[in-house]
Amino acid sequence: MVSRRKFLITAAAAGGALLVGYAATRSRELLGDPSLLATQEGETALNAWLKIDAEGTVSVAVHRAEMGQGIYTGLAMLVAEELDVAWENIRYEIPLPDKFYANIIGFADAAPFDNEDHGFLAESARWGFKQFGALLGGNFTGGSSGIRDAWEPLRAGGAAARDMLLRAGAERLGVPVSECTTDSGEVVHRASHRKVSYGALAGEAARLSPPQDIPYKLESEYKVIGQPMPRLDIPAKVNGSATFGIDVRPEGLVFAAVVASPKIGGQLKSFDAGFAQDMPGVIKIIATDDSVIAIAKTYWEAKKAVGQVITEFEDPEPFDNDSIAAIYAQGMEEDGFAFENVGDARDNLAQSSAVIRADYTAPMLAHACMEPQNCTALITDARCDVWAGNQAPLIFRDLAAGATGLDKEKVFIHTQLMGGAFGGRGEPAVLYQAIAAAQAVKGTPVQLIWSREEDIQKDAFRPIAHSRFEVTLDEAGQIENWYNKIAAPSPTQSVMSRWLPNIPFGGPDRTCVDGAIFLDYKMANRCVEQTAVEMPFPIGFWRSVGHSFHAFFTESFMDELAHSQKQDPLQFRRQHLADGSRSAAVLDLLAEKSQWGDILPPGHATGVALHESFHSIVGQVAEVEVVDSQIKVHRVVCVIDCGRAINPDSVIAQMESGIVYGLTAALYGRIDMKDGRVMQDNFPNYRMAQMRDTPKIETYVINSGAPIGGVGEPGTPPIAPAVSNAVYVLTGKRNRSLPLEV
C-alpha cells in the first residue's frame, strides 16, 4: 500500500521528470555560451563565467544578488582557485539575467526528503525539481544556496579556461602541454621558465574547444578556497561609490512616492488630487488599482504631495489578531499532511497516560530592511529598463514585460546592491508601481521609494505559525514517541502566486515545516504533520523561512523535556545524537568553547540550541541576564559546520549577522492586525536591536568535509531558543511564544 505522502511526493517527482531542462551534469552544459558575457575592446570571454582583458584582469560573472552576504567574493573565489590567478587581478561583473544562470540547487532543496535520503524516490524528486527550476529559469538568490549551486559550474568555468589557456600557452611557447603549468595568471614552461600571461593568450585560447573532461584541482592544491579573502565589494561601500537601488541616478531622474490603502487588500475607489497637483515640483499624480502615486522633481516633493491627495478605498473583509488566531485554532484541530511518519508515534501516544504536551506560537514579522523598497524604471516605445535590488531578475523581467506589453527581450533588469533583503526583495509590488509611474512620464526615468511606513505595513510578512508537541519518554528518560502538529500557511504558494500568476501551485510545501522534520535527534517513533491554513493577505519568505520559528519551537521543547527529567539540557541533547555525527561534533565543540557548566557571574544563566538548516548545522549558547525586567544577552558562542568554509571571514560575518537579526525578532519582533490594518508602522514600534543590545559573539567553524552548506540564514534560527532557554533558568518562566517576555 502506497501512503498518501509517498503518492503525492512521487507524483511531484514524476511531474518534474517530464520537464525538459538543464540537468547540469555535462561539462559543456556547465560552461555556457561565452556570448552571455558582454565584452569591451580588449576583453575575451572564454565561457559564460569569465572574461580576460589584455592586462590579465579577470572579470567573473556573479549571477547572484549581493545583499551583504559576500556572494560576489565567494563566487569569484571559485573561479580564481581553478583558473590559478592572483586575487588582486580578480574583478566581478553582473551579467544580464539568463536561464543558463538558473539556481537549480535552490529548487532541489524544496523536495520534501531528508538530506541524508539518497534513495530512488528522493533523488528522483530532487532531479524533477532541478528540471523545473531550469525550465523556469529560476535565477533567484535565496535559500542560502548561492555557493552551493555555484560550486560545480563556477569551478568548471575556471578549470576549463585554465586548460584552454594552458594549451594556448604551450602552442605559443612551442612546447608540449605536459611540460607547462600555470601560476598566478601565467602559463609557465617548467624547464626553461619561459612564461606568457593570460592576457596575451586569451584570444588564442578562445579559439580552442573546451575540454570534454574538466580538469579540477585536487583539494590539496587549493590556495584560495578556504582562505579569508578580502571582500571585493567592501572598498566601494567604504568610499561611497557603491550603488544600491536607492542610489541609482540615470540622467533626467524624477521621483515618486506612493500611498496605498491603509487596510491590506483595499482597492482604490476614487481620489482627488486637489491642490496637491499644483504643489512645488509636482509633475503628475496618477492612480493604480490599489494606490495613488505622486511624481515630482524630488522625493520630498513627491512625498508631501501624495500625502495631500484625498483618497477613498474600498474596505476589504476585516480581520484582526483574534480572527487570525481563530483560523489557526481550527487548523490545529484538522487532519494534516504527514511530512514525516516513522513508527507508531500517534497510536502509542493515544495509549499512554504519561504524555508531555506543549503548544507554541510565533508571530508575523516584517523584513524591515534598512534600505526601504525602491525601484527605478525608464520606459520608451522601444524598451524598458529597471534598476532595483532584487532577488529574482528573470521573474522581474517577465513581470515587467507583462506590465508594459513589451517583449521580454526588450526588458532589461539591472540588479543593484541591496541594503538588506531577507526574502523581501523578491516581492514585485514596488516594481509594478514604478512601471506605472514610468509609463505616465514615458521617456523619463522615475525612482519610486516606499516610505518606512509603507515598507513595514505593506510587506509580505513571515506568517504566524502554531506548533503542538506530544511526547513520551522511556524508562531511561529518552524520547520514545514524538508527535508534532503544525498549523501554518504556505509561503511558497503565496510567493508563486505573485511570481507566476498563471501557474497554479498546490500540494505540500516543505518551507512550512523546515526545521521540524528530519531532526538529528534519535527517536523510535516520530510523526510530524502540518495543516495548511489560508491567510487573507500576502505572506512571503523571511530569513530562514520555516526554520526561523521551528527552531524556537523544537529547541525550546527539547529544553522542557530535559528539565522535566532534571537533566542537563546540553547533555540531554547529546544523548539523543549518534556518536560521530556532525551534530554531535558541533555540540561537543560548543560545550568546550562556551565553557558549558562553568560558574557564571551572579544573575547570569546560559541556554543552548542546536539546529540544522540549509545543509549546515549550527549550535549556539547564549549567556543572559535579566535587568529591570529586560533581557540582556551578554555573550553568544556559535559553532557551525557548513561542510567547507569557502571564505571563513564571510562565514563568521554571516553568523554574526544572523544572530543579530534573529535576536531582534526574539526580543522585539511582532506584527499585529486590527480591523485589517497593520498596527506597527516604523522603528519606534517595530523595534530593531541596537548596538547596545548586541552581545559579544564568538564563532567557530568546523570543516567536516560534508557537502557544502549555506551560511546566509543558518545563524538566525538557534538564537531565539538559546536565549529563551536561558531566561527559563533565570526566571522559571517558559516562553512558548515570541517575542520573549520575563
Side-chain angles (χ1 to χ4, degrees):
M1 176 71 70
V2 177
S3 70
R4 176 172 175 264
R5 173 180 179 271
K6 286 190 177 293
F7 174 79
L8 288 173
I9 295 173
T10 303
L18 292 174
L19 299 173
V20 179
Y22 166 46
T25 54
R26 293 180 57 197
S27 61
R28 295 292 178 87
E29 294 168 333
L30 288 171
L31 302 179
D33 191 325
S35 66
L36 289 174
L37 283 183
T39 55
Q40 307 296 323
E41 185 176 352
E43 294 180 331
T44 303
L46 297 185
N47 51 57
W49 298 113
L50 66 95
K51 60 184 180 182
I52 303 175
D53 70 13
E55 303 301 318
T57 300
V58 178
S59 296
V60 177
V62 291
H63 60 312
R64 298 289 175 255
E66 176 62 69
M67 40 197 169
Q69 80 277 40
I71 193 66
Y72 288 177
T73 304
L75 297 179
M77 287 176 68
L78 302 181
V79 169
E81 181 66 79
E82 294 290 352
L83 185 58
D84 204 1
V85 64
W87 187 247
E88 56 266 26
N89 290 330
I90 288 285
R91 305 289 184 270
Y92 66 84
E93 183 170 309
I94 304 168
L96 286 174
D98 189 90
K99 285 189 176 183
F100 170 76
Y101 299 117
N103 184 347
I104 63 172
I105 292 298
F107 278 90
D109 284 350
F113 288 89
D114 189 342
N115 295 336
E116 303 305 316
D117 185 348
H118 300 291
F120 173 77
L121 190 60
E123 291 299 322
S124 295
R126 293 187 189 105
W127 186 87
F129 277 89
K130 286 181 181 180
Q131 306 317 302
F132 176 74
L135 187 65
L136 178 64
N139 184 12
F140 71 93
T141 303
S144 296
S145 59
I147 293 290
R148 291 189 291 122
D149 184 72
W151 173 248
E152 187 177 9
L154 266 87
R155 286 191 306 125
R162 176 175 171 270
D163 177 87
M164 295 159 70
L165 289 160
L166 190 64
R167 284 183 278 143
E171 184 175 343
R172 172 82 72 91
L173 295 170
V175 296
V177 173
S178 60
E179 295 181 6
C180 295
T181 188
T182 59
D183 182 41
S184 298
E186 295 178 318
V187 175
V188 182
H189 182 231
R190 294 189 189 91
S192 67
H193 302 293
R194 289 184 296 148
K195 59 184 68 175
V196 57
S197 72
Y198 285 178
L201 292 170
E204 298 164 41
R207 291 191 286 271
L208 301 176
S209 297
Q212 289 288 345
D213 297 313
I214 301 293
Y216 296 106
K217 282 186 178 181
L218 299 174
E219 185 177 341
S220 60
E221 299 175 311
Y222 286 172
K223 300 175 183 177
V224 177
I225 292 175
Q227 299 304 309
M229 305 302 288
R231 279 179 50 168
L232 298 175
D233 56 322
I234 294 301
K237 290 177 177 177
V238 171
N239 66 30
S241 63
T243 302
F244 292 78
I246 208 166
D247 298 323
V248 169
R249 292 293 183 271
E251 186 176 354
L253 181 68
V254 298
F255 295 85
V258 61
V259 167
S261 169
K263 297 185 179 182
I264 294 179
Q267 298 294 294
L268 183 66
K269 287 178 65 177
S270 65
F271 79 101
D272 181 0
F275 72 90
Q277 180 67 63
D278 300 319
M279 291 176 68
V282 173
I283 298 169
K284 187 173 287 190
I285 294 176
I286 65 170
T288 69
D289 290 341
D290 61 359
S291 60
V292 173
I293 299 171
I295 306 167
K297 293 180 180 178
T298 68
Y299 176 71
W300 179 236
E301 290 170 330
K303 182 73 170 65
K304 286 195 298 182
V306 80
Q308 297 300 317
V309 176
I310 299 171
T311 56
E312 183 182 4
F313 292 93
E314 292 180 355
D315 278 348
E317 183 177 345
F319 52 87
D320 55 22
N321 283 2
D322 290 340
S323 62
I324 294 170
I327 294 173
Y328 278 82
Q330 180 179 345
M332 290 298 288
E333 302 309 318
E334 296 175 352
D335 290 337
F337 176 79
F339 278 85
E340 189 175 14
N341 194 5
V342 179
D344 300 306
R346 298 202 66 180
D347 290 343
N348 294 343
L349 287 163
Q351 299 171 24
S352 174
S353 60
V355 178
I356 302 172
R357 295 181 173 87
D359 279 29
Y360 281 80
T361 63
M364 284 188 295
L365 295 176
H367 295 89
C369 305
M370 290 297 102
E371 179 192 16
Q373 289 277 16
N374 63 88
C375 182
T376 303
L378 170 61
I379 298 174
T380 67
D381 290 335
R383 61 184 284 159
C384 170
D385 286 272
V386 172
W387 296 265
N390 74 90
Q391 295 177 248
L394 276 181
I395 294 293
F396 270 45
R397 183 202 66 179
D398 293 353
L399 295 177
T404 59
L406 293 169
D407 293 337
K408 295 177 182 179
E409 292 73 23
K410 295 180 179 179
V411 177
F412 301 89
I413 305 296
H414 310 280
T415 300
Q416 307 299 307
L417 293 171
M418 291 171 246
F422 317 119
R425 303 262 184 213
E427 292 298 327
V430 70
L431 169 72
Y432 287 131
Q433 291 172 344
I435 287 175
Q439 285 178 317
V441 289
K442 254 187 175 181
T444 299
V446 181
Q447 183 174 107
L448 187 141
I449 306 171
W450 281 11
S451 67
R452 178 60 61 190
E453 290 76 13
E454 291 286 331
D455 190 78
I456 289 178
Q457 295 186 320
K458 300 307 183 292
D459 200 0
F461 303 107
R462 187 197 78 172
I464 294 170
H466 285 204
S467 183
R468 175 175 298 153
F469 295 98
E470 297 181 4
V471 168
T472 59
L473 307 177
D474 62 20
E475 293 181 355
Q478 303 293 291
I479 298 169
E480 185 172 28
N481 297 290
W482 174 283
Y483 172 63
N484 186 194
K485 175 62 181 294
I486 298 155
S490 169
T492 300
Q493 291 177 22
S494 185
V495 170
M496 288 298 180
S497 71
R498 298 185 289 279
W499 279 10
L500 301 167
N502 297 321
I503 300 179
F505 281 84
D509 178 9
R510 176 171 174 161
T511 62
C512 305
V513 295
D514 266 334
I517 55 175
F518 311 130
L519 303 177
D520 274 357
Y521 297 125
K522 294 181 291 185
M523 305 171 189
N525 306 284
R526 178 163 59 204
C527 178
V528 181
E529 65 179 32
Q530 177 245 348
T531 298
V533 299
E534 297 293 334
M535 287 290 92
F537 46 79
I539 60 170
F541 300 132
W542 189 93
R543 192 174 191 172
S544 76
V545 203
H547 295 283
S548 68
F549 41 77
H550 284 302
F552 170 66
F553 301 156
T554 300
E555 285 299 289
S556 296
F557 187 60
M558 285 293 290
D559 237 58
E560 288 201 50
L561 296 176
H563 284 287
S564 76
Q565 300 301 297
K566 296 181 171 54
Q567 293 192 42
D568 176 88
L570 190 146
Q571 291 306 316
F572 181 78
R573 288 169 170 80
R574 184 63 178 83
Q575 291 163 14
H576 285 86
L577 296 172
D579 289 337
S581 67
R582 294 172 65 200
S583 291
V586 167
L587 199 60
D588 290 345
L589 184 60
L590 183 64
E592 173 192 338
K593 295 300 184 181
S594 67
Q595 298 91 43
W596 182 264
D598 284 6
I599 297 175
L600 296 168
H604 288 219
T606 51
V608 63
L610 177 73
H611 191 75
E612 179 177 1
S613 62
F614 307 99
H615 303 263
S616 291
I617 301 168
V618 176
Q620 291 172 8
V621 166
E623 182 181 335
V624 176
E625 182 183 21
V626 174
V627 181
D628 296 329
S629 299
Q630 299 295 314
I631 298 169
K632 174 64 179 177
V633 183
H634 288 280
R635 177 183 182 228
V636 175
V637 179
C638 175
V639 175
I640 176 172
D641 175 359
C642 56
R644 180 198 303 275
I646 304 302
N647 186 346
D649 279 358
S650 287
V651 175
I652 292 170
Q654 281 305 287
M655 291 304 100
E656 294 169 347
S657 165
I659 287 168
V660 173
Y661 195 74
L663 191 60
T664 286
L667 298 181
Y668 314 119
R670 67 176 299 127
I671 290 291
D672 294 297
M673 297 284 190
K674 183 177 180 180
D675 191 28
R677 299 171 183 245
V678 175
M679 302 310 295
Q680 291 77 12
D681 61 4
N682 210 314
F683 292 140
N685 55 21
Y686 194 79
R687 185 176 168 186
M688 300 283 105
Q690 301 176 31
M691 289 292 289
R692 66 187 180 195
D693 303 312
T694 304
K696 176 184 177 183
I697 301 173
E698 304 168 25
T699 299
Y700 302 90
V701 180
I702 295 176
N703 286 297
S704 65
I708 291 175
V711 299
E713 293 162 278
T716 295
I719 189 61
V723 174
S724 180
N725 294 336
V727 169
Y728 173 78
V729 175
L730 289 170
T731 67
K733 176 178 180 178
R734 177 63 66 183
N735 277 275
R736 289 178 175 161
S737 62
L738 294 171
L740 301 174
E741 298 178 347
V742 294

